[in-house]
Amino acid sequence: ITDVADNISMISDHMASRGLDRIDLLRYHSMAQNKYEQLGRIYELDGIDKLTDERLEEIRGVFEKKGLVVGD
């Protein structure tokens, strides 16, 4: 949801400027979708694409270029 290039760039800039040195990247998951359906609620994130391994590596690279340690 927040993995567009501008967001990643701004987040990495912000973290680096604040002296933060680590970020853990978490993949989006849809585990709550069944619960929403059971409650008769609309799951508004239905259809969100899952993060590919390739995209995750691209994002990792942005943070690492700012000197951040990246966990996952």
Short mmCIF file of all heavy atoms in Angstrom, two decimals:
data_model
loop_
_atom_site.label_atom_id
_atom_site.label_comp_id
_atom_site.label_asym_id
_atom_site.label_seq_id
_atom_site.Cartn_x
_atom_site.Cartn_y
_atom_site.Cartn_z
N ILE A 1 0.83 -1.19 0.00
CA ILE A 1 0.00 0.00 0.00
C ILE A 1 0.87 1.25 0.00
O ILE A 1 0.56 2.23 -0.63
CB ILE A 1 -0.96 0.00 1.20
CG1 ILE A 1 -1.90 -1.20 1.09
CG2 ILE A 1 -1.75 1.28 1.26
CD1 ILE A 1 -2.76 -1.40 2.30
N THR A 2 1.99 1.18 0.69
CA THR A 2 2.87 2.36 0.74
C THR A 2 4.14 2.15 -0.06
O THR A 2 5.13 2.84 0.15
CB THR A 2 3.26 2.69 2.20
OG1 THR A 2 3.91 1.55 2.76
CG2 THR A 2 2.06 3.07 3.02
N ASP A 3 4.13 1.20 -1.00
CA ASP A 3 5.38 0.87 -1.67
C ASP A 3 5.60 1.61 -2.99
O ASP A 3 6.44 1.22 -3.77
CB ASP A 3 5.50 -0.64 -1.88
CG ASP A 3 4.57 -1.17 -2.95
OD1 ASP A 3 3.49 -0.58 -3.15
OD2 ASP A 3 4.91 -2.18 -3.58
N VAL A 4 4.89 2.71 -3.20
CA VAL A 4 5.17 3.51 -4.40
C VAL A 4 6.50 4.24 -4.19
O VAL A 4 6.89 4.56 -3.07
CB VAL A 4 4.03 4.50 -4.72
CG1 VAL A 4 2.75 3.75 -5.11
CG2 VAL A 4 3.76 5.44 -3.59
N ALA A 5 7.19 4.49 -5.29
CA ALA A 5 8.56 5.02 -5.22
C ALA A 5 8.67 6.29 -4.39
O ALA A 5 9.61 6.44 -3.59
CB ALA A 5 9.09 5.25 -6.63
N ASP A 6 7.74 7.23 -4.57
CA ASP A 6 7.81 8.49 -3.81
C ASP A 6 7.72 8.25 -2.31
O ASP A 6 8.44 8.87 -1.53
CB ASP A 6 6.71 9.46 -4.24
CG ASP A 6 6.97 10.08 -5.61
OD1 ASP A 6 8.12 10.00 -6.09
OD2 ASP A 6 6.03 10.64 -6.18
N ASN A 7 6.82 7.37 -1.89
CA ASN A 7 6.68 7.08 -0.46
C ASN A 7 7.94 6.45 0.11
O ASN A 7 8.42 6.83 1.18
CB ASN A 7 5.50 6.16 -0.20
CG ASN A 7 4.17 6.85 -0.26
OD1 ASN A 7 4.09 8.07 -0.30
ND2 ASN A 7 3.11 6.08 -0.30
N ILE A 8 8.48 5.47 -0.61
CA ILE A 8 9.69 4.79 -0.13
C ILE A 8 10.84 5.80 -0.02
O ILE A 8 11.58 5.80 0.96
CB ILE A 8 10.07 3.63 -1.08
CG1 ILE A 8 8.97 2.57 -1.10
CG2 ILE A 8 11.41 3.02 -0.68
CD1 ILE A 8 8.65 1.95 0.24
N SER A 9 10.98 6.65 -1.00
CA SER A 9 12.04 7.65 -0.98
C SER A 9 11.88 8.60 0.20
O SER A 9 12.85 8.88 0.93
CB SER A 9 12.04 8.43 -2.29
OG SER A 9 13.04 9.41 -2.28
N MET A 10 10.67 9.10 0.42
CA MET A 10 10.44 10.03 1.53
C MET A 10 10.64 9.36 2.88
O MET A 10 11.21 9.96 3.80
CB MET A 10 9.03 10.63 1.43
CG MET A 10 8.91 11.65 0.31
SD MET A 10 7.34 12.56 0.31
CE MET A 10 6.19 11.28 -0.13
N ILE A 11 10.19 8.12 3.01
CA ILE A 11 10.36 7.40 4.27
C ILE A 11 11.85 7.18 4.55
O ILE A 11 12.33 7.41 5.67
CB ILE A 11 9.60 6.06 4.25
CG1 ILE A 11 8.09 6.32 4.25
CG2 ILE A 11 10.00 5.19 5.43
CD1 ILE A 11 7.25 5.09 3.93
N SER A 12 12.59 6.76 3.54
CA SER A 12 14.03 6.52 3.75
C SER A 12 14.77 7.82 4.06
O SER A 12 15.64 7.85 4.94
CB SER A 12 14.64 5.81 2.54
OG SER A 12 14.59 6.63 1.39
N ASP A 13 14.41 8.90 3.38
CA ASP A 13 15.02 10.20 3.68
C ASP A 13 14.72 10.64 5.12
O ASP A 13 15.61 11.10 5.84
CB ASP A 13 14.50 11.29 2.73
CG ASP A 13 15.05 11.15 1.32
OD1 ASP A 13 16.08 10.48 1.14
OD2 ASP A 13 14.44 11.75 0.41
N HIS A 14 13.48 10.49 5.51
CA HIS A 14 13.06 10.88 6.85
C HIS A 14 13.81 10.07 7.91
O HIS A 14 14.33 10.64 8.88
CB HIS A 14 11.55 10.70 7.00
CG HIS A 14 11.03 11.08 8.34
ND1 HIS A 14 10.85 12.39 8.73
CD2 HIS A 14 10.65 10.31 9.39
CE1 HIS A 14 10.38 12.41 9.97
NE2 HIS A 14 10.25 11.17 10.39
N MET A 15 13.88 8.77 7.71
CA MET A 15 14.57 7.92 8.69
C MET A 15 16.04 8.28 8.79
O MET A 15 16.58 8.41 9.89
CB MET A 15 14.40 6.45 8.32
CG MET A 15 12.98 5.95 8.50
SD MET A 15 12.83 4.21 8.10
CE MET A 15 13.75 3.49 9.47
N ALA A 16 16.68 8.46 7.64
CA ALA A 16 18.11 8.78 7.64
C ALA A 16 18.37 10.13 8.29
O ALA A 16 19.34 10.29 9.05
CB ALA A 16 18.64 8.76 6.21
N SER A 17 17.50 11.09 8.06
CA SER A 17 17.71 12.43 8.64
C SER A 17 17.48 12.44 10.14
O SER A 17 17.95 13.35 10.83
CB SER A 17 16.78 13.44 7.96
OG SER A 17 15.43 13.26 8.36
N ARG A 18 16.79 11.45 10.65
CA ARG A 18 16.52 11.36 12.09
C ARG A 18 17.51 10.45 12.81
O ARG A 18 17.40 10.20 13.99
CB ARG A 18 15.10 10.85 12.37
CG ARG A 18 13.97 11.69 11.79
CD ARG A 18 13.97 13.07 12.41
NE ARG A 18 12.85 13.89 12.01
CZ ARG A 18 12.80 14.66 10.94
NH1 ARG A 18 13.79 14.69 10.09
NH2 ARG A 18 11.75 15.41 10.68
N GLY A 19 18.47 9.92 12.07
CA GLY A 19 19.48 9.07 12.68
C GLY A 19 19.00 7.65 12.96
O GLY A 19 19.66 6.92 13.70
N LEU A 20 17.88 7.28 12.38
CA LEU A 20 17.40 5.90 12.55
C LEU A 20 18.24 4.99 11.69
O LEU A 20 18.69 5.37 10.60
CB LEU A 20 15.92 5.81 12.17
CG LEU A 20 15.00 6.71 13.00
CD1 LEU A 20 13.59 6.69 12.44
CD2 LEU A 20 15.01 6.29 14.45
N ASP A 21 18.49 3.76 12.15
CA ASP A 21 19.42 2.92 11.41
C ASP A 21 18.88 1.57 10.98
O ASP A 21 19.59 0.78 10.38
CB ASP A 21 20.69 2.72 12.24
CG ASP A 21 20.43 2.02 13.57
OD1 ASP A 21 19.27 1.72 13.87
OD2 ASP A 21 21.40 1.80 14.30
N ARG A 22 17.60 1.29 11.25
CA ARG A 22 17.06 -0.02 10.89
C ARG A 22 15.58 0.09 10.54
O ARG A 22 14.84 0.84 11.14
CB ARG A 22 17.22 -1.00 12.05
CG ARG A 22 16.67 -2.38 11.74
CD ARG A 22 16.82 -3.34 12.90
NE ARG A 22 16.13 -4.57 12.61
CZ ARG A 22 16.66 -5.60 11.96
NH1 ARG A 22 17.90 -5.54 11.54
NH2 ARG A 22 15.96 -6.69 11.72
N ILE A 23 15.19 -0.72 9.56
CA ILE A 23 13.78 -0.85 9.21
C ILE A 23 13.51 -2.32 8.91
O ILE A 23 14.35 -3.02 8.35
CB ILE A 23 13.39 0.03 8.00
CG1 ILE A 23 11.89 -0.05 7.76
CG2 ILE A 23 14.18 -0.34 6.76
CD1 ILE A 23 11.37 0.99 6.79
N ASP A 24 12.36 -2.80 9.34
CA ASP A 24 11.92 -4.15 9.00
C ASP A 24 10.80 -4.03 7.98
O ASP A 24 9.82 -3.32 8.21
CB ASP A 24 11.41 -4.88 10.25
CG ASP A 24 12.53 -5.20 11.21
OD1 ASP A 24 13.55 -5.76 10.76
OD2 ASP A 24 12.41 -4.89 12.40
N LEU A 25 10.96 -4.68 6.86
CA LEU A 25 9.96 -4.64 5.81
C LEU A 25 8.98 -5.79 5.99
O LEU A 25 9.39 -6.95 6.09
CB LEU A 25 10.64 -4.74 4.44
CG LEU A 25 11.64 -3.64 4.13
CD1 LEU A 25 12.31 -3.91 2.78
CD2 LEU A 25 10.98 -2.28 4.15
N LEU A 26 7.72 -5.46 6.06
CA LEU A 26 6.67 -6.46 6.24
C LEU A 26 5.79 -6.51 5.00
O LEU A 26 5.33 -5.48 4.53
CB LEU A 26 5.81 -6.12 7.46
CG LEU A 26 6.55 -5.96 8.78
CD1 LEU A 26 5.60 -5.50 9.87
CD2 LEU A 26 7.23 -7.26 9.16
N ARG A 27 5.56 -7.69 4.52
CA ARG A 27 4.69 -7.85 3.36
C ARG A 27 3.24 -7.70 3.79
O ARG A 27 2.85 -8.11 4.87
CB ARG A 27 4.87 -9.22 2.73
CG ARG A 27 6.24 -9.43 2.14
CD ARG A 27 6.34 -10.85 1.61
NE ARG A 27 7.68 -11.16 1.20
CZ ARG A 27 8.08 -11.23 -0.06
NH1 ARG A 27 7.22 -11.01 -1.02
NH2 ARG A 27 9.31 -11.53 -0.35
N TYR A 28 2.45 -7.12 2.90
CA TYR A 28 1.01 -7.04 3.13
C TYR A 28 0.44 -8.46 3.11
O TYR A 28 0.86 -9.30 2.32
CB TYR A 28 0.33 -6.19 2.05
CG TYR A 28 -1.17 -6.33 2.06
CD1 TYR A 28 -1.91 -5.68 3.02
CD2 TYR A 28 -1.81 -7.14 1.14
CE1 TYR A 28 -3.28 -5.83 3.06
CE2 TYR A 28 -3.18 -7.29 1.18
CZ TYR A 28 -3.91 -6.64 2.13
OH TYR A 28 -5.26 -6.80 2.17
N HIS A 29 -0.52 -8.71 3.97
CA HIS A 29 -1.22 -10.00 3.93
C HIS A 29 -2.72 -9.74 4.06
O HIS A 29 -3.15 -8.68 4.49
CB HIS A 29 -0.74 -10.93 5.04
CG HIS A 29 -0.98 -10.38 6.41
ND1 HIS A 29 -2.20 -10.43 7.02
CD2 HIS A 29 -0.15 -9.77 7.27
CE1 HIS A 29 -2.12 -9.86 8.20
NE2 HIS A 29 -0.88 -9.44 8.38
N SER A 30 -3.49 -10.72 3.67
CA SER A 30 -4.95 -10.56 3.68
C SER A 30 -5.60 -11.48 4.70
O SER A 30 -6.74 -11.92 4.51
CB SER A 30 -5.51 -10.82 2.29
OG SER A 30 -5.17 -12.12 1.86
N MET A 31 -4.93 -11.75 5.80
CA MET A 31 -5.45 -12.69 6.80
C MET A 31 -6.78 -12.23 7.40
O MET A 31 -7.58 -13.06 7.81
CB MET A 31 -4.41 -12.91 7.90
CG MET A 31 -3.22 -13.69 7.40
SD MET A 31 -1.84 -13.87 8.58
CE MET A 31 -2.59 -14.03 10.15
N ALA A 32 -7.04 -10.95 7.43
CA ALA A 32 -8.27 -10.45 8.05
C ALA A 32 -9.48 -10.55 7.12
O ALA A 32 -10.61 -10.37 7.56
CB ALA A 32 -8.09 -9.01 8.48
N GLN A 33 -9.26 -10.87 5.86
CA GLN A 33 -10.36 -10.87 4.90
C GLN A 33 -11.49 -11.81 5.31
O GLN A 33 -12.67 -11.43 5.24
CB GLN A 33 -9.85 -11.24 3.51
CG GLN A 33 -10.91 -11.09 2.45
CD GLN A 33 -10.35 -11.17 1.05
OE1 GLN A 33 -9.16 -11.36 0.87
NE2 GLN A 33 -11.21 -11.02 0.07
N ASN A 34 -11.18 -13.00 5.76
CA ASN A 34 -12.23 -13.94 6.18
C ASN A 34 -13.03 -13.40 7.36
O ASN A 34 -14.25 -13.57 7.41
CB ASN A 34 -11.62 -15.30 6.53
CG ASN A 34 -11.16 -16.05 5.31
OD1 ASN A 34 -11.64 -15.82 4.21
ND2 ASN A 34 -10.22 -16.95 5.50
N LYS A 35 -12.35 -12.76 8.29
CA LYS A 35 -13.05 -12.20 9.45
C LYS A 35 -14.03 -11.12 9.01
O LYS A 35 -15.16 -11.07 9.49
CB LYS A 35 -12.05 -11.62 10.46
CG LYS A 35 -12.72 -11.08 11.71
CD LYS A 35 -11.69 -10.60 12.69
CE LYS A 35 -11.67 -11.57 13.83
NZ LYS A 35 -10.75 -11.18 14.90
N TYR A 36 -13.61 -10.27 8.11
CA TYR A 36 -14.51 -9.24 7.58
C TYR A 36 -15.74 -9.87 6.95
O TYR A 36 -16.87 -9.45 7.17
CB TYR A 36 -13.79 -8.35 6.55
CG TYR A 36 -13.06 -7.19 7.17
CD1 TYR A 36 -11.86 -7.37 7.83
CD2 TYR A 36 -13.57 -5.91 7.07
CE1 TYR A 36 -11.19 -6.30 8.40
CE2 TYR A 36 -12.90 -4.82 7.62
CZ TYR A 36 -11.71 -5.04 8.29
OH TYR A 36 -11.06 -3.98 8.84
N GLU A 37 -15.52 -10.91 6.15
CA GLU A 37 -16.63 -11.59 5.50
C GLU A 37 -17.57 -12.22 6.52
O GLU A 37 -18.79 -12.13 6.39
CB GLU A 37 -16.10 -12.63 4.52
CG GLU A 37 -15.42 -12.01 3.32
CD GLU A 37 -14.68 -13.02 2.45
OE1 GLU A 37 -14.68 -14.22 2.78
OE2 GLU A 37 -14.09 -12.58 1.44
N GLN A 38 -17.03 -12.84 7.56
CA GLN A 38 -17.84 -13.44 8.61
C GLN A 38 -18.67 -12.40 9.34
O GLN A 38 -19.77 -12.69 9.80
CB GLN A 38 -16.96 -14.21 9.60
CG GLN A 38 -16.36 -15.46 9.03
CD GLN A 38 -15.33 -16.08 9.96
OE1 GLN A 38 -14.98 -15.53 11.00
NE2 GLN A 38 -14.83 -17.24 9.58
N LEU A 39 -18.14 -11.20 9.46
CA LEU A 39 -18.86 -10.12 10.15
C LEU A 39 -19.79 -9.36 9.21
O LEU A 39 -20.46 -8.42 9.63
CB LEU A 39 -17.86 -9.14 10.77
CG LEU A 39 -17.00 -9.71 11.89
CD1 LEU A 39 -15.90 -8.72 12.28
CD2 LEU A 39 -17.85 -10.05 13.10
N GLY A 40 -19.83 -9.79 7.94
CA GLY A 40 -20.68 -9.12 6.98
C GLY A 40 -20.19 -7.73 6.59
O GLY A 40 -20.97 -6.90 6.14
N ARG A 41 -18.90 -7.51 6.75
CA ARG A 41 -18.32 -6.20 6.43
C ARG A 41 -17.56 -6.29 5.11
O ARG A 41 -17.11 -7.35 4.70
CB ARG A 41 -17.38 -5.75 7.54
CG ARG A 41 -18.14 -5.56 8.87
CD ARG A 41 -17.27 -5.03 9.94
NE ARG A 41 -16.81 -3.69 9.59
CZ ARG A 41 -15.84 -3.07 10.23
NH1 ARG A 41 -15.23 -3.65 11.24
NH2 ARG A 41 -15.48 -1.86 9.87
N ILE A 42 -17.40 -5.16 4.49
CA ILE A 42 -16.66 -5.09 3.24
C ILE A 42 -15.16 -4.99 3.56
O ILE A 42 -14.75 -4.16 4.36
CB ILE A 42 -17.10 -3.87 2.41
CG1 ILE A 42 -18.56 -4.02 2.00
CG2 ILE A 42 -16.21 -3.70 1.18
CD1 ILE A 42 -19.15 -2.77 1.37
N TYR A 43 -14.40 -5.84 2.92
CA TYR A 43 -12.94 -5.80 3.08
C TYR A 43 -12.40 -4.90 1.99
O TYR A 43 -12.25 -5.28 0.84
CB TYR A 43 -12.36 -7.21 2.97
CG TYR A 43 -10.89 -7.29 3.28
CD1 TYR A 43 -10.42 -7.10 4.57
CD2 TYR A 43 -9.97 -7.56 2.28
CE1 TYR A 43 -9.07 -7.16 4.86
CE2 TYR A 43 -8.61 -7.64 2.56
CZ TYR A 43 -8.17 -7.44 3.85
OH TYR A 43 -6.84 -7.51 4.14
N GLU A 44 -12.12 -3.66 2.34
CA GLU A 44 -11.79 -2.63 1.37
C GLU A 44 -10.43 -2.84 0.71
O GLU A 44 -10.13 -2.20 -0.30
CB GLU A 44 -11.84 -1.26 2.03
CG GLU A 44 -13.16 -1.04 2.73
CD GLU A 44 -13.85 0.25 2.35
OE1 GLU A 44 -13.30 1.01 1.55
OE2 GLU A 44 -14.94 0.47 2.87
N LEU A 45 -9.62 -3.71 1.24
CA LEU A 45 -8.30 -3.95 0.67
C LEU A 45 -8.29 -5.16 -0.26
O LEU A 45 -7.23 -5.61 -0.70
CB LEU A 45 -7.26 -4.12 1.77
CG LEU A 45 -7.09 -2.91 2.69
CD1 LEU A 45 -6.10 -3.20 3.80
CD2 LEU A 45 -6.66 -1.69 1.90
N ASP A 46 -9.46 -5.70 -0.57
CA ASP A 46 -9.56 -6.83 -1.47
C ASP A 46 -8.97 -6.44 -2.82
O ASP A 46 -9.23 -5.36 -3.34
CB ASP A 46 -11.02 -7.25 -1.64
CG ASP A 46 -11.16 -8.55 -2.38
OD1 ASP A 46 -10.21 -9.37 -2.35
OD2 ASP A 46 -12.23 -8.78 -2.98
N GLY A 47 -8.13 -7.29 -3.37
CA GLY A 47 -7.54 -7.00 -4.67
C GLY A 47 -6.20 -6.31 -4.61
O GLY A 47 -5.59 -6.05 -5.65
N ILE A 48 -5.72 -5.98 -3.41
CA ILE A 48 -4.39 -5.36 -3.29
C ILE A 48 -3.36 -6.41 -3.71
O ILE A 48 -3.37 -7.54 -3.23
CB ILE A 48 -4.12 -4.91 -1.83
CG1 ILE A 48 -5.09 -3.83 -1.42
CG2 ILE A 48 -2.67 -4.47 -1.66
CD1 ILE A 48 -4.87 -2.50 -2.07
N ASP A 49 -2.48 -6.02 -4.60
CA ASP A 49 -1.46 -6.95 -5.07
C ASP A 49 -0.45 -7.25 -3.98
O ASP A 49 -0.05 -6.37 -3.23
CB ASP A 49 -0.72 -6.37 -6.29
CG ASP A 49 -1.63 -6.25 -7.50
OD1 ASP A 49 -2.57 -7.05 -7.62
OD2 ASP A 49 -1.37 -5.36 -8.32
N LYS A 50 -0.04 -8.50 -3.92
CA LYS A 50 0.99 -8.89 -2.97
C LYS A 50 2.35 -8.41 -3.48
O LYS A 50 2.59 -8.33 -4.67
CB LYS A 50 0.97 -10.39 -2.78
CG LYS A 50 -0.33 -10.87 -2.16
CD LYS A 50 -0.16 -12.22 -1.55
CE LYS A 50 -1.37 -12.78 -0.86
NZ LYS A 50 -2.57 -12.13 -0.80
N LEU A 51 3.23 -8.10 -2.56
CA LEU A 51 4.56 -7.61 -2.88
C LEU A 51 5.40 -8.76 -3.47
O LEU A 51 5.53 -9.82 -2.85
CB LEU A 51 5.22 -7.07 -1.61
CG LEU A 51 6.47 -6.26 -1.74
CD1 LEU A 51 6.20 -4.99 -2.52
CD2 LEU A 51 6.98 -5.90 -0.36
N THR A 52 5.97 -8.53 -4.64
CA THR A 52 6.81 -9.56 -5.25
C THR A 52 8.21 -9.52 -4.62
O THR A 52 8.62 -8.52 -4.04
CB THR A 52 6.95 -9.33 -6.77
OG1 THR A 52 7.64 -8.09 -6.98
CG2 THR A 52 5.60 -9.31 -7.46
N ASP A 53 8.91 -10.63 -4.78
CA ASP A 53 10.29 -10.68 -4.28
C ASP A 53 11.15 -9.61 -4.95
O ASP A 53 11.98 -8.98 -4.30
CB ASP A 53 10.91 -12.05 -4.53
CG ASP A 53 10.29 -13.14 -3.67
OD1 ASP A 53 9.70 -12.81 -2.62
OD2 ASP A 53 10.41 -14.33 -4.03
N GLU A 54 10.91 -9.40 -6.24
CA GLU A 54 11.68 -8.40 -6.98
C GLU A 54 11.44 -7.00 -6.43
O GLU A 54 12.37 -6.22 -6.24
CB GLU A 54 11.34 -8.45 -8.47
CG GLU A 54 11.77 -9.73 -9.16
CD GLU A 54 10.78 -10.88 -8.94
OE1 GLU A 54 9.61 -10.65 -8.54
OE2 GLU A 54 11.19 -12.04 -9.15
N ARG A 55 10.18 -6.67 -6.17
CA ARG A 55 9.85 -5.33 -5.65
C ARG A 55 10.42 -5.16 -4.25
O ARG A 55 10.92 -4.08 -3.89
CB ARG A 55 8.34 -5.11 -5.65
CG ARG A 55 7.93 -3.75 -5.17
CD ARG A 55 8.41 -2.65 -6.09
NE ARG A 55 8.02 -1.35 -5.54
CZ ARG A 55 8.83 -0.32 -5.44
NH1 ARG A 55 10.06 -0.38 -5.89
NH2 ARG A 55 8.41 0.81 -4.92
N LEU A 56 10.35 -6.20 -3.44
CA LEU A 56 10.91 -6.13 -2.09
C LEU A 56 12.41 -5.84 -2.15
O LEU A 56 12.92 -5.02 -1.37
CB LEU A 56 10.64 -7.43 -1.33
CG LEU A 56 11.07 -7.45 0.13
CD1 LEU A 56 10.29 -6.42 0.94
CD2 LEU A 56 10.88 -8.84 0.72
N GLU A 57 13.12 -6.45 -3.08
CA GLU A 57 14.55 -6.20 -3.22
C GLU A 57 14.82 -4.77 -3.68
O GLU A 57 15.79 -4.15 -3.24
CB GLU A 57 15.19 -7.22 -4.18
CG GLU A 57 15.31 -8.60 -3.57
CD GLU A 57 16.04 -8.60 -2.23
OE1 GLU A 57 17.13 -8.00 -2.14
OE2 GLU A 57 15.52 -9.19 -1.27
N GLU A 58 13.97 -4.23 -4.56
CA GLU A 58 14.11 -2.84 -4.98
C GLU A 58 13.97 -1.90 -3.78
O GLU A 58 14.75 -0.97 -3.60
CB GLU A 58 13.06 -2.48 -6.02
CG GLU A 58 13.25 -3.14 -7.36
CD GLU A 58 12.06 -2.91 -8.29
OE1 GLU A 58 11.16 -2.09 -7.96
OE2 GLU A 58 12.03 -3.54 -9.36
N ILE A 59 12.95 -2.16 -2.97
CA ILE A 59 12.70 -1.33 -1.79
C ILE A 59 13.86 -1.45 -0.80
O ILE A 59 14.34 -0.46 -0.26
CB ILE A 59 11.37 -1.72 -1.13
CG1 ILE A 59 10.21 -1.38 -2.09
CG2 ILE A 59 11.20 -1.03 0.21
CD1 ILE A 59 8.87 -1.97 -1.67
N ARG A 60 14.33 -2.67 -0.61
CA ARG A 60 15.48 -2.91 0.28
C ARG A 60 16.66 -2.06 -0.18
O ARG A 60 17.33 -1.42 0.62
CB ARG A 60 15.85 -4.38 0.27
CG ARG A 60 17.10 -4.73 1.07
CD ARG A 60 17.51 -6.18 0.88
NE ARG A 60 16.49 -7.09 1.32
CZ ARG A 60 16.36 -7.52 2.57
NH1 ARG A 60 17.20 -7.09 3.50
NH2 ARG A 60 15.41 -8.36 2.90
N GLY A 61 16.90 -2.02 -1.48
CA GLY A 61 18.02 -1.26 -2.02
C GLY A 61 17.93 0.23 -1.73
O GLY A 61 18.94 0.87 -1.45
N VAL A 62 16.72 0.78 -1.79
CA VAL A 62 16.53 2.21 -1.50
C VAL A 62 16.96 2.52 -0.07
O VAL A 62 17.70 3.48 0.18
CB VAL A 62 15.06 2.64 -1.73
CG1 VAL A 62 14.82 4.06 -1.24
CG2 VAL A 62 14.69 2.51 -3.20
N PHE A 63 16.51 1.69 0.87
CA PHE A 63 16.86 1.92 2.27
C PHE A 63 18.35 1.68 2.53
O PHE A 63 18.98 2.42 3.28
CB PHE A 63 16.00 1.04 3.18
CG PHE A 63 14.60 1.52 3.31
CD1 PHE A 63 13.57 0.87 2.66
CD2 PHE A 63 14.28 2.65 4.06
CE1 PHE A 63 12.25 1.31 2.77
CE2 PHE A 63 12.99 3.11 4.17
CZ PHE A 63 11.97 2.43 3.52
N GLU A 64 18.89 0.66 1.90
CA GLU A 64 20.31 0.37 2.11
C GLU A 64 21.19 1.49 1.56
O GLU A 64 22.22 1.80 2.15
CB GLU A 64 20.67 -0.98 1.50
CG GLU A 64 20.09 -2.14 2.28
CD GLU A 64 20.33 -3.50 1.65
OE1 GLU A 64 20.62 -3.57 0.44
OE2 GLU A 64 20.22 -4.49 2.38
N LYS A 65 20.78 2.11 0.46
CA LYS A 65 21.55 3.24 -0.09
C LYS A 65 21.59 4.42 0.87
O LYS A 65 22.51 5.23 0.83
CB LYS A 65 20.96 3.68 -1.42
CG LYS A 65 21.30 2.77 -2.55
CD LYS A 65 20.70 3.25 -3.85
CE LYS A 65 20.96 2.23 -4.94
NZ LYS A 65 20.27 2.58 -6.19
N LYS A 66 20.59 4.50 1.76
CA LYS A 66 20.56 5.56 2.78
C LYS A 66 21.32 5.15 4.03
O LYS A 66 21.33 5.87 5.03
CB LYS A 66 19.11 5.91 3.16
CG LYS A 66 18.29 6.42 2.02
CD LYS A 66 18.74 7.82 1.64
CE LYS A 66 17.84 8.30 0.51
NZ LYS A 66 18.10 9.65 0.13
N GLY A 67 21.92 3.94 4.01
CA GLY A 67 22.71 3.47 5.14
C GLY A 67 21.90 2.75 6.20
O GLY A 67 22.42 2.50 7.30
N LEU A 68 20.66 2.39 5.88
CA LEU A 68 19.81 1.70 6.85
C LEU A 68 20.00 0.18 6.74
O LEU A 68 20.17 -0.35 5.64
CB LEU A 68 18.35 2.03 6.60
CG LEU A 68 17.99 3.51 6.77
CD1 LEU A 68 16.64 3.80 6.16
CD2 LEU A 68 18.01 3.90 8.23
N VAL A 69 19.95 -0.49 7.87
CA VAL A 69 19.94 -1.95 7.91
C VAL A 69 18.49 -2.38 7.67
O VAL A 69 17.57 -1.85 8.30
CB VAL A 69 20.44 -2.47 9.27
CG1 VAL A 69 20.29 -3.97 9.36
CG2 VAL A 69 21.87 -2.03 9.51
N VAL A 70 18.30 -3.33 6.77
CA VAL A 70 16.95 -3.76 6.42
C VAL A 70 16.74 -5.20 6.86
O VAL A 70 17.47 -6.10 6.48
CB VAL A 70 16.70 -3.64 4.90
CG1 VAL A 70 15.30 -4.08 4.56
CG2 VAL A 70 16.97 -2.22 4.42
N GLY A 71 15.73 -5.41 7.69
CA GLY A 71 15.31 -6.75 8.08
C GLY A 71 14.01 -7.08 7.39
O GLY A 71 13.38 -6.23 6.77
N ASP A 72 13.62 -8.33 7.44
CA ASP A 72 12.32 -8.70 6.89
C ASP A 72 11.77 -9.91 7.59
O ASP A 72 12.35 -10.48 8.42
CB ASP A 72 12.37 -8.92 5.39
CG ASP A 72 13.43 -9.92 4.93
OD1 ASP A 72 13.88 -10.74 5.72
OD2 ASP A 72 13.78 -9.83 3.77
#
